[in-house]
Coordinates of all heavy atoms in Angstrom, one line a residue:
M1 N 3.3 1.7 -19.4 CA 3.9 3.0 -19.3 C 2.9 3.9 -18.6 O 1.7 3.8 -18.8 CB 4.2 3.5 -20.7 CG 5.1 2.7 -21.5 SD 6.8 2.7 -20.9 CE 7.6 3.8 -22.0
I2 N 3.5 4.9 -17.9 CA 2.7 5.9 -17.3 C 3.1 7.2 -17.9 O 4.3 7.4 -18.4 CB 2.8 6.0 -15.7 CG1 4.3 6.3 -15.3 CG2 2.3 4.7 -15.1 CD1 4.4 6.6 -13.8
T3 N 2.3 8.2 -17.9 CA 2.6 9.5 -18.4 C 2.8 10.5 -17.3 O 2.0 10.6 -16.4 CB 1.5 10.0 -19.4 OG1 1.2 9.0 -20.4 CG2 1.8 11.3 -20.0
V4 N 3.9 11.2 -17.3 CA 4.2 12.2 -16.3 C 4.6 13.5 -17.1 O 4.9 13.5 -18.3 CB 5.4 11.8 -15.4 CG1 4.9 10.6 -14.5 CG2 6.6 11.4 -16.2
T5 N 4.6 14.6 -16.3 CA 4.8 15.9 -16.9 C 6.1 16.6 -16.3 O 6.1 16.7 -15.1 CB 3.6 16.8 -16.7 OG1 2.4 16.1 -17.1 CG2 3.7 18.1 -17.5
R6 N 7.0 17.0 -17.1 CA 8.1 17.7 -16.6 C 7.7 19.1 -16.1 O 6.6 19.5 -16.5 CB 9.2 17.9 -17.8 CG 9.9 16.7 -18.2 CD 11.0 17.0 -19.2 NE 11.7 15.8 -19.5 CZ 11.5 15.1 -20.6 NH1 10.6 15.4 -21.5 NH2 12.3 14.0 -20.9
R7 N 8.5 19.7 -15.4 CA 8.2 21.1 -14.8 C 7.9 22.1 -15.9 O 7.2 23.0 -15.7 CB 9.2 21.5 -13.9 CG 9.5 20.6 -12.7 CD 8.4 20.7 -11.7 NE 8.4 22.0 -11.0 CZ 7.5 22.4 -10.2 NH1 6.5 21.6 -9.9 NH2 7.6 23.5 -9.6
N8 N 8.5 21.9 -17.1 CA 8.3 22.9 -18.2 C 7.1 22.6 -19.0 O 6.8 23.3 -20.0 CB 9.5 22.9 -19.1 CG 9.7 21.6 -19.9 OD1 8.9 20.7 -19.8 ND2 10.8 21.5 -20.6
G9 N 6.3 21.6 -18.6 CA 5.0 21.3 -19.2 C 5.0 20.2 -20.2 O 3.9 19.8 -20.7
T10 N 6.2 19.7 -20.6 CA 6.2 18.6 -21.6 C 5.9 17.3 -20.9 O 6.4 17.0 -19.8 CB 7.5 18.5 -22.3 OG1 8.6 18.3 -21.4 CG2 7.8 19.8 -23.1
A11 N 5.1 16.5 -21.6 CA 4.7 15.1 -21.1 C 5.6 14.1 -21.7 O 6.1 14.2 -22.8 CB 3.3 14.9 -21.3
F12 N 5.9 13.0 -20.9 CA 6.6 11.9 -21.5 C 6.1 10.6 -20.8 O 5.6 10.6 -19.7 CB 8.1 12.1 -21.4 CG 8.7 12.0 -20.0 CD1 9.3 10.9 -19.5 CD2 8.6 13.2 -19.2 CE1 9.8 10.9 -18.2 CE2 9.1 13.2 -17.9 CZ 9.7 12.0 -17.4
A13 N 6.4 9.5 -21.5 CA 6.0 8.2 -20.9 C 7.2 7.6 -20.2 O 8.3 7.7 -20.7 CB 5.5 7.3 -22.0
L14 N 6.9 6.9 -19.1 CA 7.9 6.3 -18.2 C 7.5 4.9 -17.9 O 6.4 4.6 -17.6 CB 8.0 7.2 -17.0 CG 9.1 6.8 -16.0 CD1 10.5 7.0 -16.5 CD2 8.9 7.7 -14.7
N15 N 8.5 4.0 -18.0 CA 8.3 2.6 -17.6 C 8.3 2.5 -16.1 O 9.3 2.7 -15.5 CB 9.4 1.8 -18.2 CG 9.2 0.3 -18.0 OD1 8.4 -0.1 -17.1 ND2 10.0 -0.5 -18.7
P16 N 7.2 2.2 -15.5 CA 7.1 2.2 -14.0 C 7.9 1.1 -13.4 O 8.3 1.1 -12.2 CB 5.6 2.0 -13.7 CG 5.1 1.4 -15.0 CD 5.9 1.9 -16.1
D17 N 8.3 0.1 -14.2 CA 9.1 -1.0 -13.7 C 10.6 -0.5 -13.4 O 11.3 -1.2 -12.7 CB 9.2 -2.2 -14.6 CG 7.8 -2.9 -14.8 OD1 7.0 -2.8 -13.8 OD2 7.5 -3.4 -15.9
L18 N 10.9 0.6 -13.9 CA 12.3 1.1 -13.7 C 12.4 2.1 -12.6 O 13.5 2.6 -12.3 CB 12.8 1.8 -15.0 CG 12.9 0.9 -16.2 CD1 13.4 1.7 -17.5 CD2 13.8 -0.3 -16.0
I19 N 11.3 2.4 -11.9 CA 11.2 3.4 -10.8 C 11.8 2.8 -9.6 O 11.4 1.7 -9.1 CB 9.8 3.9 -10.6 CG1 9.3 4.7 -11.8 CG2 9.8 4.8 -9.3 CD1 7.9 5.2 -11.7
E20 N 12.8 3.4 -9.0 CA 13.4 3.0 -7.7 C 12.7 3.7 -6.6 O 12.3 3.0 -5.6 CB 14.9 3.3 -7.7 CG 15.5 2.8 -6.4 CD 17.0 3.1 -6.4 OE1 17.7 3.0 -7.4 OE2 17.5 3.5 -5.3
R21 N 12.5 5.0 -6.7 CA 11.8 5.7 -5.7 C 11.2 7.0 -6.2 O 11.6 7.5 -7.3 CB 12.7 6.0 -4.5 CG 13.8 7.0 -4.8 CD 14.7 7.2 -3.5 NE 15.9 7.9 -3.9 CZ 17.1 7.4 -4.2 NH1 17.2 6.1 -4.2 NH2 18.1 8.2 -4.5
V22 N 10.2 7.5 -5.5 CA 9.6 8.8 -5.8 C 9.6 9.6 -4.5 O 9.1 9.1 -3.5 CB 8.1 8.6 -6.3 CG1 7.5 9.9 -6.6 CG2 8.1 7.7 -7.5
E23 N 10.1 10.8 -4.6 CA 10.3 11.6 -3.4 C 9.7 13.0 -3.6 O 9.6 13.5 -4.7 CB 11.8 11.9 -3.1 CG 12.6 10.6 -2.9 CD 14.1 10.9 -2.8 OE1 14.7 11.0 -3.9 OE2 14.6 11.2 -1.7
A24 N 9.2 13.6 -2.5 CA 8.7 15.0 -2.5 C 9.8 15.8 -1.8 O 10.0 15.6 -0.6 CB 7.4 15.1 -1.8
T25 N 10.5 16.7 -2.5 CA 11.6 17.4 -1.9 C 11.7 18.9 -2.0 O 12.8 19.5 -1.9 CB 12.9 16.9 -2.5 OG1 12.9 17.2 -3.9 CG2 13.1 15.4 -2.3
P26 N 10.8 19.8 -2.0 CA 9.3 19.6 -2.2 C 8.8 19.3 -3.6 O 7.7 18.8 -3.8 CB 8.8 21.0 -1.7 CG 9.8 21.9 -2.1 CD 11.1 21.2 -1.9
D27 N 9.7 19.5 -4.6 CA 9.3 19.0 -5.9 C 9.3 17.5 -6.0 O 10.0 16.8 -5.2 CB 10.3 19.5 -7.0 CG 10.3 21.0 -7.2 OD1 9.2 21.6 -7.0 OD2 11.4 21.6 -7.5
T28 N 8.5 16.9 -6.8 CA 8.4 15.5 -6.9 C 9.6 15.0 -7.8 O 9.7 15.5 -9.0 CB 7.1 15.0 -7.5 OG1 6.0 15.5 -6.7 CG2 7.0 13.5 -7.6
V29 N 10.4 14.2 -7.3 CA 11.6 13.6 -8.0 C 11.4 12.1 -8.2 O 11.3 11.4 -7.2 CB 12.9 14.0 -7.3 CG1 14.1 13.4 -8.1 CG2 13.0 15.5 -7.1
I30 N 11.5 11.7 -9.4 CA 11.4 10.2 -9.7 C 12.8 9.8 -10.0 O 13.5 10.3 -10.9 CB 10.5 9.9 -10.9 CG1 9.1 10.4 -10.6 CG2 10.6 8.4 -11.2 CD1 8.2 10.3 -11.8
T31 N 13.3 8.8 -9.2 CA 14.7 8.2 -9.5 C 14.5 6.8 -10.0 O 13.8 6.0 -9.4 CB 15.5 8.2 -8.1 OG1 15.5 9.5 -7.6 CG2 16.9 7.7 -8.4
L32 N 15.2 6.6 -11.1 CA 15.1 5.3 -11.8 C 16.2 4.4 -11.2 O 17.2 4.9 -10.6 CB 15.2 5.4 -13.3 CG 14.2 6.3 -14.0 CD1 14.4 6.3 -15.5 CD2 12.8 6.0 -13.6
V33 N 16.1 3.1 -11.5 CA 17.2 2.2 -11.0 C 18.5 2.5 -11.6 O 19.6 2.1 -11.1 CB 16.8 0.7 -11.3 CG1 15.6 0.3 -10.5 CG2 16.5 0.5 -12.8
S34 N 18.6 3.2 -12.8 CA 19.8 3.5 -13.4 C 20.4 4.8 -12.8 O 21.6 5.1 -13.1 CB 19.6 3.8 -14.9 OG 18.7 4.9 -15.0
G35 N 19.7 5.4 -11.9 CA 20.2 6.7 -11.3 C 19.7 7.9 -11.9 O 19.8 9.0 -11.4
T36 N 19.0 7.8 -13.1 CA 18.4 8.9 -13.8 C 17.3 9.5 -12.9 O 16.5 8.8 -12.3 CB 17.8 8.5 -15.1 OG1 18.9 7.9 -15.9 CG2 17.3 9.7 -15.9
R37 N 17.3 10.9 -12.8 CA 16.3 11.5 -12.0 C 15.4 12.4 -12.9 O 15.9 13.1 -13.8 CB 16.9 12.4 -10.9 CG 17.6 11.6 -9.9 CD 18.1 12.4 -8.8 NE 18.7 11.6 -7.8 CZ 19.1 12.0 -6.6 NH1 19.0 13.3 -6.3 NH2 19.6 11.2 -5.7
Y38 N 14.1 12.5 -12.6 CA 13.2 13.4 -13.3 C 12.4 14.2 -12.3 O 11.9 13.6 -11.3 CB 12.2 12.6 -14.1 CG 12.8 11.8 -15.3 CD1 13.0 10.4 -15.2 CD2 13.2 12.4 -16.4 CE1 13.5 9.7 -16.3 CE2 13.8 11.7 -17.5 CZ 14.0 10.4 -17.4 OH 14.5 9.7 -18.4
V39 N 12.4 15.5 -12.5 CA 11.5 16.3 -11.6 C 10.2 16.5 -12.4 O 10.2 17.0 -13.6 CB 12.2 17.7 -11.4 CG1 11.3 18.6 -10.5 CG2 13.6 17.5 -10.7
V40 N 9.1 16.2 -11.8 CA 7.8 16.2 -12.4 C 6.8 17.0 -11.7 O 7.0 17.3 -10.5 CB 7.3 14.7 -12.7 CG1 8.2 13.9 -13.6 CG2 7.1 14.0 -11.3
S41 N 5.7 17.4 -12.4 CA 4.7 18.2 -11.8 C 3.7 17.4 -10.9 O 3.1 18.0 -10.0 CB 3.8 18.9 -12.9 OG 4.7 19.7 -13.7
E42 N 3.6 16.1 -11.1 CA 2.6 15.3 -10.4 C 3.1 15.1 -8.9 O 4.3 15.1 -8.7 CB 2.4 13.9 -11.1 CG 1.7 14.0 -12.4 CD 2.6 14.4 -13.6 OE1 3.8 14.6 -13.4 OE2 2.1 14.5 -14.7
S43 N 2.2 14.9 -8.0 CA 2.5 14.6 -6.7 C 3.0 13.1 -6.5 O 2.7 12.3 -7.4 CB 1.3 14.8 -5.7 OG 0.3 13.9 -6.0
V44 N 3.6 12.8 -5.4 CA 4.0 11.4 -5.1 C 2.7 10.5 -5.1 O 2.8 9.4 -5.7 CB 4.7 11.3 -3.7 CG1 4.9 9.9 -3.3 CG2 6.0 12.1 -3.8
E45 N 1.6 11.0 -4.5 CA 0.4 10.2 -4.5 C -0.1 9.9 -5.9 O -0.6 8.8 -6.2 CB -0.7 10.9 -3.7 CG -0.3 11.0 -2.2 CD 0.7 12.1 -1.9 OE1 0.9 13.0 -2.7 OE2 1.3 12.0 -0.8
Q46 N 0.0 10.9 -6.8 CA -0.5 10.7 -8.2 C 0.4 9.7 -8.9 O -0.2 8.9 -9.6 CB -0.5 12.1 -8.9 CG -1.6 13.0 -8.5 CD -1.4 14.4 -9.2 OE1 -0.3 15.0 -9.1 NE2 -2.4 14.9 -9.8
I47 N 1.7 9.8 -8.7 CA 2.6 8.8 -9.3 C 2.3 7.4 -8.8 O 2.1 6.4 -9.6 CB 4.0 9.1 -9.1 CG1 4.4 10.5 -9.6 CG2 5.0 8.0 -9.6 CD1 4.3 10.6 -11.1
V48 N 2.1 7.2 -7.5 CA 1.8 5.9 -7.0 C 0.4 5.4 -7.5 O 0.3 4.2 -7.9 CB 1.7 6.0 -5.4 CG1 1.1 4.7 -4.8 CG2 3.1 6.3 -4.9
D49 N -0.6 6.3 -7.6 CA -1.9 5.9 -8.2 C -1.7 5.4 -9.7 O -2.3 4.4 -10.1 CB -2.9 7.0 -8.1 CG -3.4 7.2 -6.7 OD1 -3.2 6.3 -5.9 OD2 -4.0 8.3 -6.5
E50 N -0.9 6.2 -10.4 CA -0.7 5.8 -11.9 C 0.0 4.5 -12.0 O -0.4 3.7 -12.8 CB 0.2 6.9 -12.5 CG -0.6 8.2 -12.8 CD -1.6 8.0 -13.9 OE1 -1.4 7.2 -14.9 OE2 -2.7 8.6 -13.8
V51 N 1.0 4.2 -11.1 CA 1.7 2.9 -11.2 C 0.7 1.8 -10.8 O 0.7 0.7 -11.5 CB 2.9 2.9 -10.3 CG1 3.5 1.5 -10.1 CG2 4.0 3.9 -10.8
C52 N -0.1 2.0 -9.8 CA -1.1 1.0 -9.4 C -2.1 0.7 -10.5 O -2.4 -0.5 -10.8 CB -1.8 1.4 -8.1 SG -0.8 1.4 -6.6
H53 N -2.6 1.7 -11.1 CA -3.5 1.6 -12.2 C -2.9 0.8 -13.4 O -3.5 0.0 -14.1 CB -4.1 2.9 -12.7 CG -5.1 3.4 -11.8 ND1 -5.0 4.7 -11.1 CD2 -6.3 2.9 -11.3 CE1 -6.0 4.9 -10.4 NE2 -6.8 3.9 -10.4
F54 N -1.6 1.2 -13.7 CA -0.9 0.5 -14.8 C -0.7 -1.0 -14.5 O -1.1 -1.8 -15.3 CB 0.5 1.2 -15.0 CG 1.4 0.4 -15.9 CD1 1.2 0.4 -17.3 CD2 2.4 -0.4 -15.4 CE1 2.0 -0.4 -18.1 CE2 3.2 -1.2 -16.2 CZ 3.0 -1.1 -17.6
R55 N -0.3 -1.3 -13.3 CA -0.1 -2.7 -13.0 C -1.4 -3.5 -12.9 O -1.5 -4.6 -13.4 CB 0.6 -2.8 -11.6 CG 2.0 -2.3 -11.8 CD 2.9 -2.5 -10.6 NE 4.1 -1.7 -10.9 CZ 5.3 -2.1 -10.7 NH1 5.5 -3.3 -10.2 NH2 6.3 -1.4 -10.9
A56 N -2.5 -2.8 -12.5 CA -3.8 -3.5 -12.5 C -4.2 -3.8 -13.9 O -4.8 -4.8 -14.2 CB -4.8 -2.6 -11.7
S57 N -4.0 -2.8 -14.8 CA -4.4 -3.0 -16.2 C -3.6 -4.1 -16.9 O -4.1 -4.9 -17.7 CB -4.2 -1.7 -17.0 OG -2.9 -1.4 -17.2
V58 N -2.3 -4.3 -16.5 CA -1.5 -5.4 -17.0 C -2.1 -6.7 -16.5 O -2.2 -7.7 -17.3 CB -0.1 -5.2 -16.6 CG1 0.7 -6.5 -16.9 CG2 0.6 -4.0 -17.3
L59 N -2.4 -6.8 -15.2 CA -3.0 -8.1 -14.7 C -4.3 -8.4 -15.3 O -4.6 -9.5 -15.7 CB -3.1 -7.9 -13.2 CG -1.8 -8.0 -12.4 CD1 -2.1 -7.7 -10.9 CD2 -1.1 -9.3 -12.5
L60 N -5.1 -7.4 -15.5 CA -6.4 -7.6 -16.1 C -6.3 -8.1 -17.6 O -6.9 -9.0 -18.0 CB -7.3 -6.3 -16.1 CG -8.7 -6.4 -16.7 CD1 -9.5 -7.4 -15.8 CD2 -9.3 -5.0 -16.6
A61 N -5.4 -7.5 -18.3 CA -5.2 -7.8 -19.7 C -4.6 -9.3 -19.8 O -4.9 -10.0 -20.7 CB -4.3 -6.9 -20.4
S62 N -3.8 -9.6 -18.9 CA -3.2 -11.0 -18.9 C -4.1 -12.1 -18.5 O -3.9 -13.2 -18.9 CB -1.9 -11.0 -18.1 OG -2.2 -11.0 -16.7
S63 N -5.2 -11.7 -17.8 CA -6.1 -12.8 -17.4 C -7.3 -12.8 -18.2 O -8.1 -13.8 -18.1 CB -6.5 -12.5 -15.9 OG -7.2 -11.3 -15.8
A64 N -7.5 -11.9 -19.1 CA -8.7 -11.9 -20.0 C -8.5 -12.9 -21.1 O -7.4 -13.0 -21.7 CB -8.9 -10.5 -20.6
P65 N -9.5 -13.7 -21.4 CA -9.4 -14.6 -22.5 C -9.3 -13.9 -23.9 O -9.8 -12.8 -24.0 CB -10.7 -15.4 -22.5 CG -11.7 -14.6 -21.7 CD -10.9 -13.7 -20.8
T66 N -8.6 -14.5 -24.8 CA -8.5 -13.9 -26.1 C -9.9 -14.1 -26.8 O -10.7 -14.9 -26.4 CB -7.4 -14.6 -27.0 OG1 -7.7 -16.0 -27.0 CG2 -6.1 -14.5 -26.3
P67 N -10.2 -13.3 -27.9 CA -11.5 -13.3 -28.5 C -11.9 -14.7 -29.0 O -13.1 -15.1 -28.9 CB -11.4 -12.4 -29.7 CG -10.2 -11.5 -29.3 CD -9.3 -12.3 -28.5
N68 N -11.0 -15.6 -29.4 CA -11.3 -16.9 -30.0 C -11.3 -18.0 -28.9 O -11.4 -19.1 -29.2 CB -10.4 -17.2 -31.1 CG -10.6 -16.3 -32.3 OD1 -11.7 -15.8 -32.5 ND2 -9.6 -16.1 -33.0
E69 N -11.0 -17.6 -27.7 CA -10.9 -18.6 -26.6 C -12.0 -18.5 -25.6 O -12.4 -17.5 -25.2 CB -9.6 -18.3 -25.9 CG -9.2 -19.2 -24.7 CD -7.9 -18.8 -24.1 OE1 -7.7 -17.6 -23.8 OE2 -7.2 -19.7 -23.8
S70 N -12.6 -19.7 -25.3 CA -13.6 -19.7 -24.3 C -13.0 -19.6 -22.9 O -11.9 -20.1 -22.7 CB -14.5 -21.0 -24.4 OG -13.7 -22.1 -23.9
P71 N -13.7 -19.0 -22.0 CA -13.1 -18.9 -20.6 C -12.7 -20.2 -20.0 O -11.8 -20.3 -19.3 CB -14.2 -18.2 -19.8 CG -15.0 -17.5 -20.8 CD -15.0 -18.3 -22.1
R72 N -13.5 -21.3 -20.3 CA -13.2 -22.6 -19.7 C -12.0 -23.2 -20.3 O -11.3 -24.1 -19.7 CB -14.4 -23.5 -19.9 CG -15.6 -23.1 -19.1 CD -16.7 -24.2 -19.1 NE -16.2 -25.5 -18.6 CZ -16.1 -25.9 -17.4 NH1 -16.3 -25.1 -16.4 NH2 -15.7 -27.2 -17.1
A73 N -11.6 -22.8 -21.5 CA -10.4 -23.4 -22.2 C -9.1 -23.0 -21.4 O -8.1 -23.7 -21.5 CB -10.3 -22.9 -23.6
R74 N -9.1 -22.0 -20.6 CA -8.0 -21.5 -19.8 C -7.9 -22.3 -18.5 O -6.8 -22.4 -17.9 CB -8.1 -20.1 -19.5 CG -8.0 -19.2 -20.7 CD -8.1 -17.7 -20.3 NE -7.1 -17.3 -19.5 CZ -5.9 -16.7 -19.8 NH1 -5.7 -16.5 -21.1 NH2 -5.1 -16.3 -18.9
L75 N -9.0 -22.9 -18.1 CA -9.0 -23.6 -16.8 C -8.8 -25.1 -17.0 O -9.6 -25.8 -17.7 CB -10.3 -23.4 -16.1 CG -10.6 -21.9 -15.8 CD1 -12.0 -21.8 -15.2 CD2 -9.6 -21.3 -14.9
R76 N -7.7 -25.7 -16.4 CA -7.5 -27.1 -16.6 C -7.0 -27.6 -15.2 O -6.2 -27.0 -14.5 CB -6.4 -27.4 -17.6 CG -6.9 -27.0 -19.0 CD -6.1 -27.7 -20.1 NE -6.7 -27.5 -21.3 CZ -6.3 -26.7 -22.3 NH1 -5.2 -26.1 -22.1 NH2 -6.9 -26.6 -23.4
S77 N -7.5 -28.8 -14.9 CA -7.0 -29.5 -13.7 C -5.6 -30.0 -13.9 O -5.4 -30.7 -14.9 CB -8.0 -30.5 -13.3 OG -7.5 -31.3 -12.2
V78 N -4.8 -29.8 -13.0 CA -3.4 -30.4 -13.1 C -3.4 -31.8 -12.5 O -2.4 -32.5 -12.6 CB -2.3 -29.5 -12.5 CG1 -2.2 -28.2 -13.3 CG2 -2.6 -29.2 -11.0
S79 N -4.4 -32.2 -11.7 CA -4.4 -33.5 -11.1 C -5.1 -34.6 -11.9 O -4.9 -35.7 -11.6 CB -5.1 -33.3 -9.7 OG -6.5 -32.9 -9.9
S80 N -5.8 -34.2 -12.9 CA -6.4 -35.2 -13.8 C -5.9 -35.1 -15.2 O -5.7 -34.0 -15.7 CB -8.0 -35.1 -13.7 OG -8.4 -33.9 -14.2
P81 N -5.8 -36.2 -15.9 CA -5.3 -36.1 -17.3 C -6.4 -35.4 -18.2 O -7.6 -35.6 -18.0 CB -5.1 -37.6 -17.7 CG -6.0 -38.4 -16.7 CD -6.1 -37.6 -15.5
E82 N -5.9 -34.8 -19.2 CA -6.8 -34.1 -20.2 C -7.3 -35.1 -21.1 O -6.7 -36.1 -21.4 CB -6.0 -33.0 -21.0 CG -5.6 -31.9 -20.1 CD -4.9 -30.8 -21.0 OE1 -5.4 -30.6 -22.1 OE2 -4.0 -30.2 -20.5
S83 N -8.6 -35.0 -21.5 CA -9.2 -35.9 -22.5 C -9.0 -35.4 -23.9 O -8.7 -34.4 -24.2 CB -10.6 -36.2 -22.1 OG -11.3 -35.0 -21.8

């Protein structure tokens, strides 16, 4: 989730996977795939940065080993049988 701010100052969390487009008209308008529109205080560039950081954090979290797992336990050759 990313946090954005309505023009009246209230903040809310938005699922970036549902964003269809972000436009500057001159207000920043976020349109979701459902057609719902939000006018927010952040710039288009800020929204793009937030989405990029969110997706990077998801990738990082998905590739990090769990506390009880050694890093080598995640790596296995598919060409040789496991012993």
